[in-house]
Amino acid sequence: MAGCGVFGGSSSDTEVKRTGPSARPPLWNRAPGSVAAVGDSITRGFDACVVLADCPEVSWSTGTDSKVRSLALRLLGAPAAKERSWNHAATGAKMSDLPGQLAQAAQNKPELVTIMVGANDACQDTAEQMTPVADFRTSFEASMRQLRAGAPKAQVYVSSVPDLKRLWSTGRGNPLGRQIWKLGICATMLGDSQDMSKQAQDRRNMVYERVVSYNNVLKDVCAKDLRCRYDGGAVFDFRFTGEQLSHWDWFHPSKDGQSMLAEIAYRNVTAVKPPT
């Protein structure tokens, strides 16, 4: 999978020429000095500490919990992370909410912005209510324009949307999880979790394909921005275990799951070359 049009390297590396007109891309700074996070409940640490509540201190991106070791902690260290990282994500957010979040993030003038959003666009009451792919693209393009208007030099790290079907497969064996899912969490994928009829499987496959399409949009739009780096599908491909899922809803990441997301992000942000 191609990178996002960003060439890795430290400040001492020579610039790499871009194909086409004599444009030269900026170098990817592998040690940014500040981090702003945007996105949804995953980045807010929802259900990671207590039931039905945000826990931003364990966020994979900007959290302060020493056991999770968020991206900000790994990049900046504890004292600096508290002063130079900001979490603008919101539980329940969809891609259409991202322009507003990025407008807020731009005010901090961050050197790095992390984006993880899209799960709620697929998690609806019915498959027909999922965000159309074209609308998802339009909102993401508008989001990037919004960011560039306020923070033209900010680097952007874009996480792929998790594989919701794999989360269903991992959590469906837990009796407590199945009961909680009946409350309506991501009904398009988790509803009637034990139903293996063709209709139910077709519905889950539709959600799976929509998430794949969303990730293709994230990759494509990111590739058009010289300061954007997509994770290459790393989060989508990651196989969450039961220990890495919240024991309150068996869907959102636990503290251990948040730590794994932080590790993936740190590895990709600090890599010399973009993920492939």
Side-chain angles (χ1 to χ4, degrees):
M1 190 174 294
C4 293
V6 180
F7 296 82
S10 66
S11 58
S12 62
D13 293 332
T14 56
E15 288 188 338
V16 182
K17 289 186 178 180
R18 179 189 178 198
T19 56
S22 58
R24 289 176 180 267
L27 295 174
W28 178 265
N29 179 7
R30 291 149 55 199
S34 56
V35 180
V38 297
D40 55 28
S41 56
I42 295 178
T43 302
R44 292 298 297 175
F46 184 81
D47 266 2
C49 301
V50 294
V51 64
L52 298 179
D54 291 345
C55 189
E57 57 267 32
V58 302
S59 168
W60 67 273
S61 180
T62 58
T64 56
D65 189 292
S66 60
K67 293 183 179 179
V68 171
R69 295 185 63 237
S70 70
L71 176 63
L73 275 180
R74 297 175 197 227
L75 289 172
L76 310 177
K82 292 182 179 180
E83 298 176 359
R84 300 201 302 272
S85 67
W86 309 272
N87 192 327
H88 300 287
T91 293
K94 299 165 64 175
M95 179 57 83
S96 59
D97 298 306
L98 202 63
Q101 290 186 8
L102 284 174
Q104 289 183 309
Q107 296 177 11
N108 303 126
K109 303 299 181 185
E111 293 187 19
L112 176 69
V113 177
T114 68
I115 297 176
M116 183 184 287
V117 70
N120 289 318
D121 291 271
C123 286
Q124 296 293 304
D125 291 336
T126 66
E128 291 73 23
Q129 292 176 307
M130 292 189 295
T131 302
V133 176
D135 292 351
F136 190 87
R137 179 181 293 274
T138 297
S139 292
F140 190 34
E141 290 173 339
S143 299
M144 293 300 293
R145 288 194 299 270
Q146 184 68 59
L147 176 65
R148 291 294 169 234
K153 295 183 179 181
Q155 294 183 161
V156 182
Y157 172 73
V158 180
S159 168
S160 50
V161 182
D163 184 347
L164 303 179
K165 189 174 183 182
R166 183 173 290 148
L167 293 177
W168 161 77
S169 179
T170 300
R172 65 186 292 265
N174 183 273
L176 176 60
R178 293 199 301 268
Q179 291 301 314
I180 294 175
W181 289 358
K182 291 179 181 179
L183 299 177
I185 297 176
C186 197
T188 45
M189 180 59 72
L190 306 183
D192 300 319
S193 63
Q194 304 307 297
D195 185 354
M196 298 303 293
S197 67
K198 183 179 184 303
Q199 183 179 10
Q201 294 189 66
D202 286 348
R203 167 174 53 83
R204 296 185 195 111
N205 288 334
M206 187 182 303
V207 178
Y208 174 87
E209 293 298 334
R210 186 61 57 92
V211 169
V212 169
S213 295
Y214 290 163
N215 283 332
N216 286 334
V217 168
L218 296 176
K219 179 187 70 172
D220 292 345
V221 174
C222 184
K224 298 175 183 177
D225 188 296
L226 293 174
R227 297 179 187 270
C228 187
R229 181 175 282 196
Y230 176 63
D231 76 355
V235 170
F236 178 82
D237 291 336
F238 183 73
R239 295 181 176 275
F240 287 89
T241 67
E243 285 301 312
Q244 291 157 352
L245 296 180
S246 166
H247 288 183
W248 285 286
D249 66 23
W250 293 89
F251 183 67
H252 288 88
S254 64
K255 291 182 181 180
D256 188 55
Q258 291 282 347
S259 182
M260 293 306 302
L261 292 175
E263 173 63 28
I264 291 171
Y266 180 74
R267 184 169 63 243
N268 288 331
V269 167
T270 61
V272 173
K273 297 181 179 180
T276 58

